[in-house]
Amino acid sequence: MKFIIKFFPEIMVKGTPVKKRMTMQLAENLKRLLGRINEEIQIKRFHDKLEVYCADEWHLPVRDLLSRTPGIQQVLEVKHFETGDDLQQIAEKAAEFYLDKIQGKTFVVRVKRTGTHNHSSGDIERYVGSHLFQLGGSAGVDLRNAEVTVKLDLHNQILNVITDRFFGLGGFPMGGQGEVLSLMSGGFDSTVASYLTMKRGVKTHFIFFNLGGAAHEIGVKQVSLYLWGKYGASHRVKFISVPFEGVVEEIFRSSHESYMGVMLKRLMIHASEKVAEKMGIDALVTGESVAQVSSQTLRNLAVIDDASNKLIMRPLVVMDKPDIMAIADQIGTREFAESMPEYCGVISKNPVTNASFDRANKEESHFDMAVLEKAVAEAVSINVDEIIADVNQSQAVDVVNEVNEEVLIDIRRDDEQTSKPLLLEHLSMPFNLLGREFKKLDQTQQYLLYCDKGVMSQLHAQYLRDQGFENVRVYRPQD
């Protein structure tokens, strides 16, 4: 199987040195990612495309990976054959792949040639078109408005038959646009904002402010791992967790209630700036959108920005909530966001919507900055690819390796359950339904939650325990 990769159009309009650097970066990224599927997969780089060669058995995982790698605009799936200039061989191969597709439909043949050939593109198109028409079943040839286009590509002695095409993410290759630190809460906005920077080729690290609750931290780690694994796994990134319970307590002590929300955001920006400075990162990312909540008026956002000299990027700043949720659906983070435990550390009464710069600085002067310094000093940083081992090692909820009298619940998504069925007797209750449906079960029973990696089961078992359900543990079979 062969894949022809077309670059994101903005790459192709760059100057020659920049374009070369970006295409080389994409090739390196794919080499790293595809090598995890199979080390024998090959990549060839040309000035206007990349070609990927793999065994047919790796077709589906390679296709999936190419569809979600930043920098790729379009991918052509190709079967290639050594036909030389033999028109009959070319026509027979075209029939092999297209005859069933033109049944009852009009068609046209289009040929693209590179290299030296004995026949023109028009000669090949007429010969192949005549051969397909004589085989019968089509509605005839239509050169202007054909229902099916038979696309062939001849490169020297090789015939490429394009069997399918699909679009990629677009954007720039990861690793060529610098690094950012994304403030991640695990909800719709922060996950979509992080995705958009990753899509643009920006290496995106995650910082989480724990306002109380192990379950929330596990959940944010899980969605960060998902985003990284899906869209940014060509580069290693960090997940930083900052304990913010003490900061919240100090806000309650020192801040006027109407400024508590703004103060919390400013202090998060302060802390993020300190962490970013240590990491050599110049920009922060948030999921804020104008007027979505009281702290996100234009004036309040300006007052929040005033807390840092770093560039603060807001990819969602003028997006509507339905559009943000639609992207979450598209990228697979909606279910994570909907099931994320909420911890509201600061709730302002009569929150200010037109904050004063002077008043914000005055409120901040009452805050004991030693509390913030302590929180930053106690921040824990791990590589995102180590999250699974980290969560499983902490085991906030008991883990068992065998099912006895307990009721086993598979909390994976429906598509995951279908693709990799759990062979033991079990209930099916996807994690986004668990919070609502678990309470309807017989609470005299003991329950075990199962997912592939053990991370989501840890999160939701802990969350259920926080709700008072003590009859929940995690099932993870031994390897």
Side-chain angles (χ1 to χ4, degrees):
M1 173 64 69
K2 174 181 175 180
F3 295 89
I4 298 176
I5 296 170
K6 300 293 186 180
F7 303 125
F8 180 51
E10 287 186 40
I11 295 175
M12 299 306 295
V13 299
K14 301 291 185 184
T16 300
V18 175
K19 180 168 65 176
K20 182 178 180 180
R21 174 171 56 82
M22 287 189 174
T23 57
M24 288 179 66
Q25 180 72 67
L26 180 57
E28 285 299 314
N29 292 352
L30 287 175
K31 181 179 179 181
R32 190 176 301 125
L33 293 168
L34 292 169
R36 296 170 190 166
I37 296 175
N38 185 272
E39 293 182 352
E40 295 182 1
I41 297 174
Q42 297 181 351
I43 301 173
K44 293 183 179 179
R45 185 171 66 88
F46 301 87
H47 77 280
D48 61 343
K49 65 181 178 179
L50 297 177
E51 292 183 353
V52 173
Y53 297 83
C54 70
D56 287 350
E57 63 183 296
W58 301 113
H59 162 239
L60 291 179
V62 170
R63 177 190 171 106
D64 175 62
L65 188 146
L66 296 177
S67 71
R68 51 186 172 81
T69 299
I72 296 175
Q73 180 69 12
Q74 187 176 181
V75 180
L76 309 181
E77 289 188 15
V78 173
K79 289 286 188 178
H80 53 104
F81 310 92
E82 291 190 16
T83 59
D85 282 326
D86 189 322
L87 292 178
Q88 184 62 27
Q89 281 194 51
I90 294 172
E92 289 174 357
K93 287 301 179 182
E96 182 180 332
F97 289 97
Y98 278 100
L99 190 59
D100 61 331
K101 295 181 181 180
I102 65 174
Q103 294 300 303
K105 299 179 180 179
T106 58
F107 73 95
V108 65
V109 180
R110 297 297 182 214
V111 174
K112 180 180 178 181
R113 297 177 306 131
T114 55
T116 303
H117 301 275
N118 295 325
H119 308 287
S120 69
S121 296
D123 292 339
I124 301 170
E125 290 170 353
R126 286 187 289 272
Y127 191 95
V128 173
S130 175
H131 181 74
L132 292 174
F133 181 76
Q134 290 175 12
L135 290 175
S138 75
V141 175
D142 187 334
L143 298 180
R144 293 182 178 272
N145 299 298
E147 296 174 271
V148 178
T149 300
V150 177
K151 296 183 179 181
L152 306 177
D153 179 271
L154 276 167
H155 180 67
N156 292 324
Q157 304 301 307
I158 303 296
L159 169 67
N160 297 312
V161 181
I162 301 170
T163 60
D164 197 5
R165 66 177 63 221
F166 58 90
F167 286 97
L169 284 185
F172 293 122
M174 184 70 68
Q177 305 304 316
E179 303 181 29
V180 296
L181 185 60
S182 180
L183 281 68
M184 173 67 79
S185 69
F188 285 101
D189 300 338
S190 62
T191 53
V192 171
S194 298
Y195 158 74
L196 290 174
T197 56
M198 296 166 75
K199 176 184 175 183
R200 198 63 178 172
V202 181
K203 187 176 175 181
T204 303
H205 304 270
F206 307 101
I207 185 167
F208 166 65
F209 295 95
N210 196 335
L211 304 181
H216 192 188
E217 178 167 339
I218 294 174
V220 178
K221 283 180 175 177
Q222 170 68 8
V223 73
S224 299
L225 175 64
Y226 171 84
L227 279 173
W228 172 80
K230 191 90 171 175
Y231 305 108
S234 59
H235 289 72
R236 214 172 198 189
V237 300
K238 297 286 187 182
F239 182 94
I240 300 99
S241 178
V242 184
F244 238 50
E245 298 97 326
V247 174
V248 170
E249 292 176 9
E250 178 62 12
I251 289 175
F252 275 111
R253 184 200 66 79
S254 64
S255 301
H256 188 275
E257 59 187 21
S258 64
Y259 269 76
M260 286 181 177
V262 170
M263 282 300 298
L264 177 63
K265 293 293 182 68
R266 281 176 62 97
L267 291 166
M268 287 180 173
I269 294 296
H270 271 307
S272 299
E273 180 182 49
K274 293 177 183 296
V275 172
E277 196 64 33
K278 293 179 181 177
M279 298 174 68
I281 291 174
D282 296 323
L284 308 177
V285 175
T286 79
E288 291 159 319
S289 176
V290 169
Q292 191 173 117
V293 296
S294 61
S295 66
Q296 296 176 16
T297 62
L298 281 178
R299 168 54 70 88
N300 285 1
L301 290 175
V303 170
I304 291 167
D305 282 8
D306 190 53
S308 173
N309 291 319
K310 295 286 185 185
L311 169 66
I312 299 179
M313 300 169 60
R314 293 187 172 93
L316 315 183
V317 70
V318 293
M319 290 182 64
D320 298 328
K321 192 69 173 187
D323 296 331
I324 296 169
M325 295 175 72
I327 296 176
D329 275 329
Q330 171 195 333
I331 65 176
T333 60
R334 180 178 187 133
E335 291 167 329
F336 294 102
E338 289 179 334
S339 61
M340 194 67 60
E342 291 288 343
Y343 289 92
C344 299
V346 175
I347 302 176
S348 296
K349 293 181 180 178
N350 301 315
V352 62
T353 57
N354 190 36
S356 160
F357 286 90
D358 290 340
R359 176 65 183 276
N361 287 322
K362 182 179 179 181
E363 291 292 331
E364 195 167 289
S365 71
H366 297 155
F367 184 90
D368 183 359
M369 283 296 176
V371 176
L372 185 69
E373 296 287 351
K374 182 174 183 292
V376 173
E378 294 177 352
V380 177
S381 174
I382 63 171
N383 294 316
V384 169
D385 55 296
E386 296 171 346
I387 282 176
I388 292 174
D390 177 70
V391 171
N392 289 336
Q393 183 178 6
S394 65
Q395 292 188 358
V397 177
D398 290 344
V399 175
V400 300
N401 305 121
E402 294 182 355
V403 181
N404 295 311
E405 300 299 321
E406 304 92 348
V407 177
L408 183 61
I409 302 178
D410 190 340
I411 69 168
R412 296 175 297 166
R413 290 192 278 199
D414 290 333
D415 58 336
E416 294 174 321
Q417 294 189 31
T418 301
S419 63
K420 192 177 179 181
L422 184 58
L423 300 181
L424 298 174
E425 183 178 349
H426 66 279
L427 298 178
S428 175
M429 193 175 292
F431 68 84
N432 55 306
L433 304 178
L434 195 63
R436 183 177 73 242
E437 299 297 327
F438 184 82
K439 60 187 177 183
K440 300 177 183 179
L441 300 177
D442 179 3
Q443 298 304 318
T444 65
Q445 296 275 6
Q446 295 291 316
Y447 294 95
L448 301 176
L449 305 187
Y450 170 78
C451 67
D452 280 335
K453 304 296 185 181
V455 179
M456 287 301 289
S457 50
Q458 275 283 344
L459 160 66
H460 289 282
Q462 183 64 53
Y463 182 59
L464 290 171
R465 282 180 172 263
D466 288 348
Q467 305 304 305
F469 298 101
E470 298 293 333
N471 55 338
V472 183
R473 290 180 292 171
V474 170
Y475 169 64
R476 188 164 66 247
Q478 291 180 326
D479 295 333

